[in-house]
Amino acid sequence: MSQPTIESILQEKRLFPPPTEFAQKAHIKSIEEYKQLYEKAKADPEAFWAELAETELDWFQKWDKVLDWQPPFVKWFVNGKINISYNCLDRHLTTWRRNKAALIWEGEPGDSRTLTYAQLHREVCQMANVFKQLGVKKGDRVGIYMPMIPEAAIAMLACARIGAPHTVVFGGFSAEALKDRLVDAEAKLVVTADGGWRKDAIVPLKEQVDKALVAGAPTVENVLVVKRTAQQIHMEPGRDHWWHDVQKGASGECPAEPMDSEDMLFILYTSGTTGKPKGVVHTTGGYNLYTHVTNKWAFDLQDTDVYWCTADVGWITGHSYIVYGPLSNGATSLMYEGAPRASNPGCLWDVVEKYGVTIFYTAPTAIRALMKMGEHHPNSRNLSSLRLLGTVGEPINPEAWIWYNRVIGGDRCPIVDTWWQTETGGFMITPLPGATSTKPGSATLPFPGIIADIVNQEGESVDGNNGGYLVIKHPWPGMMRTVYGDDDRFRRTYWEYLRPKSGEYIYFAGDGAHKDDDGYFWVMGRVDDVINVAGHRLGTMEVESALVSHPAVAEAAVVGKPDEVKGEDIVAFVTLEGDREPNEDLEKELKQHVVQEIGAIARPGDIRFTEDLPKTRSGKIMRRLLRSLAAGQEIAGDTSTLQDRSVLDKLRGGA
Ligand code: WT7
């Protein structure tokens, strides 16, 4: 049988229906069942979520009111008392799951560890007690800056257990970026490790923490350090404590604090259109319910699954779908420290084979990188345990989808393309794998309870085929509650950018999309000044501020340029201070400077020195023109608002 070509698949607009056998055993078994759930939720969202909250979660005290919606501020399960660590741990201990693997962990050097629910519960309790001894009280914030080791999840759950909101900072962020986040969150404690393994090298995490604290994060009183890589590090007497030391005397019992449903569970920083990252606030009850139900239905989580999400716990994907969603469901969640690297490009497939992974969830950029490495890596491992695949982070190009489906999924695994955001807490538009026929490149249909629409600049619904802004029209339990310390920014960014004449509040977080005749959503990407590099969201302003903080730089404009593997790469147009001359050394220095200010994920692929930047008469940089230049395209569209047209010729000449 000959392989269908991508063209033939796309031309036929081929649908990939759920395999019959998969559908028969799935939680949601047919498109009719999906439609029923969708209509039921649409007709009475409060009753829909209340019923699930009752059947899926354990509450210490029931709520008085399901939803309190004072746009744009929302409360779910008002006066309900709950603890997410209890739902992720304690309630499984009285069932057969007590000795089921909760976390399976594989370190990059090949060491490994499995924690059952009972073992995980014990370690979480111990750390919760340690946190208390270190003076952390309910409501205090804890910074977590960790490699992908079980202690990262333990620290998160320990925070949740005592009601201390965590703010996890991705281990790839620089000391400077870490400091900014610790300062904004006013963290009292930082949990870190001496280092982590990544691509056969040590990421010196503790060293970065030391730098961040020297640079100034005055609220931090204690630092807890896991010994992972065992190189020499500085331990500040009185401030720094080894995890294994303090763990020794700590009791393995610690009752879960009854939290109000609306108590803050965590802050997670994400990029926006200004230089300052936003602290996205998620609360307890609604988030627990939403991650639980979306994980269960969209990944069809079953007790026999070995579920692996390759994200880092430093991103929302790691929060919702490595830690909270799977554990709340009593699932087995796999955590991997490493990444495909020269010494073992096939390491992911080794892990699938070793543990018999059944569900595998990763990002399009990773799939494209794996495609480049060649099929012989997956082909030489046994991947027959896999039954479901997922993607997230950016629109997946059909070539990558088809490869993923054939080479990894062996043409038998449904693919769930999940569209969501840090702000939404969980999946918003996604197939349900036993119900939804998929189309390569489409995230398909809204999750039950999610009212998604496409609108124009006036906030009015448009014929989806034409495309427009992707918005959500009714509150959902997993939604962010505010920007930490900045209600006004929350209101302006997400709720007032598009205001229909009706005055109704609709949620918009920056994506453009269109809908096809089957009502399937096709997300086109960001419409704001946010770029998506290898599945990581970066604000152009953030990179610009980093560049401008270098003494040689006068002005900078940053845009995304299409990249085969990363999706987008960063191109920076830079003008220099009068006495500086562009040269290669300076280019290297500026790239390194951005790495120092933000982290390696923000390193510009290309820096283009220019005498001037194209601006409107009011002084706004015309990024649209720069984007075309960066992509090597002709400049199309209106240039009449350009203040000085000669700038374009100079840029073309210089580029
Ligand atoms: C942005 C959110 C949600 C976890 C990972 C990223 C883009 C995400 C998809 C998808 C098309 C996607 C959007 C969104 N995005 N998933 N399946 N199809 N685009 O979280 O950093 O909050 O970024 O990622 O542009 O707005 P994030």
Side-chain angles (χ1 to χ4, degrees), residues 316-317 393-395 417-422 511 523 526 537:
I316 191 69
T317 314
E394 59 177 306
D417 176 350
T418 59
W419 177 82
W420 60 298
Q421 309 175 302
T422 305
D511 283 327
V523 177
R526 305 288 304 195
R537 200 206 292 194

Side-chain angles (χ1 to χ4, degrees), residues 268-271 280 311 315-318 321 361 363-364 391-396 416-427 429-430 441-443 470 507 509-512 521-528 530-532 535-538:
L268 184 60
Y269 288 86
T270 190
S271 297
V280 170
W315 309 115
I316 191 69
T317 314
Y321 299 116
Y361 185 34
T391 86
V392 61
E394 59 177 306
I396 185 167
V416 286
D417 176 350
T418 59
W419 177 82
W420 60 298
Q421 309 175 302
T422 305
E423 292 87 343
T424 68
F427 309 146
I429 300 181
T430 176
S442 169
L470 176 55
Y507 169 84
D511 283 327
F521 284 82
W522 297 76
V523 177
M524 312 307 290
R526 305 288 304 195
V527 297
D528 53 9
V530 167
I531 43 187
N532 190 328
H536 299 312
R537 200 206 292 194
L538 283 166

Side-chain angles (χ1 to χ4, degrees), residues 628-655:
S628 305
L629 278 171
Q633 293 161 353
E634 267 311 297
I635 289 173
D638 185 21
T639 54
S640 62
T641 51
L642 196 60
Q643 185 202 19
D644 174 3
R645 301 180 64 90
S646 72
V647 172
L648 279 187
D649 297 325
K650 283 189 209 147
L651 275 166
R652 277 203 203 95

